[in-house]
Amino acid sequence: MSPAIVEARQLAMNFGATPVLRAVDLRLEAGRGAIITGGNGAGKSTLLKLLAGINSPSHGQALLFGTEARALAAGQRRRVGLMTHQSFLYPNLTARENLEFYAALYELRAPRDAAERWLTRVGLAAAAGERVRALSRGMEQRLSAARALIHEPNAILMDEPFAGLDSGGVAIVGALIKEALARKSAVLMTAHGALAIEGVELERFELSRGRLAAPKAETRTGRLRSLLGG
Amino acid sequence: MAKLLAILRKDLRLELRSGLSTIALVSLSLLILIVLVFALPASATGVEPAAGALWVAMIFSGMLGATRALSAERENGCIRALLLSPVDPATIYAAKLAAAFIFMAVAEVAAILMMVLFFNLEFGARIIRLLPVILLGALGFAALATLLAAISGRTRAGDLLLPMLAVPMFVPALIAGVKASAAALAGEPLAAMGAWLKILLAFDVLFVASGYLLFEFVAGED
């Protein structure tokens, strides 16, 4: 069995007396993609936060590269890309300055060049000098995707990456995910409804009331589409 | 070091763009000095009231500066991205401390100029001798306030919590700072300031080391 890049073992989380996640087991290897669907309050964002090491679980283990997510060394943290509902972008910096800053944090050579390249990739070259505060919701979401992927991480966690995007934005982010999988990254994402990305096989999980249903492999040959919205 | 400079450069760029911290710090210092110069009796315009007024201005402006340096990170959850990045939390603290110190130092230069004017002091060697005292004080207070702002920023009553925690903890350094400043302004020999400067330096080491070691545990989410 290949070593898991992303793994949850009997992962559980309680907020006070309320269980939000119950004994979730999940395993994702290099080059594999998975999507977790579920309604509001199902526990999707909580699961991603635990796997990213933002919060500590009440029980069980959240592992990245076989190490507890909250105990990753700097070298391992460099291999993780996270996209959440919060964009992690500085509103008073321009789109270019934000990417340049994150490129410097992740020790990329020529941060300015990397920022320019990724702005072009997410279709924001024309808005490079705009402050994030002035960007639309969809533009900020695309920039957030560029921020999460600029260092080409091996473990990618994305909480509703297509939320707020128009069809062009969905195609751009979908292409970035496909490219990451081709690069042998493991990609775990969430969505309200089922999603498919052209030519990409995704394991599909359903999260309901904190319980994760068994996976089903899915391949779509059509264009990226949202089957149930969200 | 490159990461520290990247964070510091970003903070300074944000500040230059908005100017909010520096303007607020200078305005607050000006307000405090004006209030004190009119509140104190006319006979009390010597060096000790001037030194006291300067340090009151420094404490309040320092709290504002430290809060501002971290509040930018709370917008859009940027502090999470920083903590999840391959940057040592101690490096993040060092960058935040450097930013808060620079904001405070700029405000203090303005406050010293206003103090000289309002308290009828003379520009000269005595003011130059005051600078190391003020810089040591600003470093210590910025170190303490940056650490405490990371704690208080996580609570709903953070703005109230910061002065309640910071001021009592800084009192010993505050006394040393006021005494050393008064000695510097009175033109007393260096030996008269020496003991107070050592106390200030000791508190600087304590606060900087505490922040460097503890920031990781107070800036996270649980």
Side-chain angles (χ1 to χ4, degrees), chain A residues 137-224:
Chain A
R137 169 81 177 89
M139 291 164 89
E140 188 171 343
Q141 184 77 345
R142 275 188 275 160
L143 188 62
S144 178
R147 176 204 55 74
L149 301 174
I150 193 168
H151 55 293
E152 301 191 341
N154 303 111
I156 300 172
L157 306 168
M158 305 174 105
D159 196 0
E160 298 186 26
F162 301 107
L165 293 178
D166 59 16
S167 57
V170 168
I172 288 170
V173 175
L176 293 178
I177 292 169
K178 187 175 177 180
E179 186 184 295
L181 288 167
R183 207 172 51 233
K184 294 294 177 194
S185 298
V187 181
L188 179 63
M189 52 190 161
T190 68
H192 284 305
L195 279 166
I197 300 174
E198 183 183 2
V200 171
E201 185 180 329
L202 293 173
E203 279 185 86
R204 183 170 172 271
F205 298 87
E206 177 93 23
L207 192 60
S208 178
R209 295 189 176 186
R211 290 193 191 282
L212 198 67
K216 288 185 284 186
E218 251 190 16
T219 309
R220 298 288 176 195
T221 51
R223 297 181 61 189
L224 185 148

Side-chain angles (χ1 to χ4, degrees), chain A residues 49 52 54-56 70 74 77 82 86-93 97 101-102 105-107 131 133 140, chain B residues 3 6-7 10 13-14 17 72-73 75-78 80-89 221-222:
Chain A
K49 282 181 187 173
I54 291 175
N55 297 124
S56 297
R70 283 178 71 84
R77 288 203 300 274
L82 174 67
Q86 290 182 301
S87 67
F88 299 162
L89 297 168
Y90 295 89
N92 274 331
L93 292 185
E97 287 166 348
F101 171 64
Y102 281 105
L105 281 194
Y106 283 85
E107 300 170 312
R131 289 193 197 184
R133 191 180 293 287
E140 188 171 343
Chain B
K3 293 171 185 172
I7 298 171
K10 181 262 301 171
R13 180 177 275 164
L14 282 171
R17 197 154 286 170
E73 301 297 347
E75 277 193 277
N76 286 345
C78 293
R80 277 184 183 169
L82 273 186
L83 292 169
L84 294 172
S85 73
V87 182
D88 183 12
E221 299 205 13
D222 54 27

Side-chain angles (χ1 to χ4, degrees), chain A residues 64-85:
Chain A
L64 290 172
F65 314 111
T67 304
E68 288 278 359
R70 283 178 71 84
L72 292 183
Q76 288 171 312
R77 288 203 300 274
R78 200 212 165 284
R79 298 167 62 197
V80 182
L82 174 67
M83 187 176 172
T84 73
H85 290 294

Side-chain angles (χ1 to χ4, degrees), chain B:
Chain B
M1 192 63 181
K3 293 171 185 172
L4 187 153
L5 289 177
I7 298 171
L8 179 60
R9 197 180 311 123
K10 181 262 301 171
D11 282 349
L12 295 180
R13 180 177 275 164
L14 282 171
E15 177 54 26
L16 284 174
R17 197 154 286 170
S18 70
L20 288 175
S21 293
T22 311
I23 292 170
L25 297 186
V26 172
S27 304
L28 189 62
S29 297
L30 177 65
L31 185 67
I32 290 167
L33 286 169
I34 288 174
V35 168
L36 287 176
V37 85
F38 283 105
L40 292 168
S43 58
T45 51
V47 292
E48 290 208 347
L54 183 65
W55 277 79
V56 170
M58 190 166 95
I59 297 298
F60 282 99
S61 62
M63 274 186 288
L64 199 59
T67 308
R68 287 284 311 166
L70 275 165
S71 65
E73 301 297 347
R74 304 270 174 210
E75 277 193 277
N76 286 345
C78 293
I79 188 73
R80 277 184 183 169
L82 273 186
L83 292 169
L84 294 172
S85 73
V87 182
D88 183 12
T91 302
I92 300 171
Y93 172 77
K96 291 289 156 194
L97 165 59
F101 175 73
I102 291 170
F103 297 158
M104 271 187 85
V106 170
E108 285 321 304
V109 169
I112 288 172
L113 294 175
M114 290 184 278
M115 177 195 72
V116 169
L117 293 173
F118 292 155
F119 285 87
N120 283 324
L121 303 177
E122 288 183 11
F123 285 105
R126 292 179 183 185
I127 299 299
I128 303 295
R129 290 181 64 192
L130 182 63
L131 282 179
V133 182
I134 293 299
L135 291 179
L136 276 178
L139 176 63
F141 194 76
L144 177 65
T146 301
L147 177 65
L148 295 178
I151 299 170
S152 62
R154 298 168 54 184
T155 67
R156 264 178 283 177
D159 291 343
L160 179 67
L161 195 61
L162 180 59
M164 286 177 69
L165 292 173
V167 174
M169 290 174 79
F170 197 69
V171 162
L174 179 64
I175 293 168
V178 172
K179 291 291 185 185
S181 300
L185 288 172
E188 291 180 18
L190 194 64
M193 297 166 57
W196 299 117
L197 283 177
K198 283 179 189 167
I199 294 175
L200 262 184
L201 192 61
F203 272 94
D204 281 8
V205 171
L206 177 68
F207 292 143
V208 171
S210 302
Y212 196 78
L213 295 171
L214 297 175
F215 187 77
E216 175 178 6
F217 303 101
V218 302
E221 299 205 13
D222 54 27

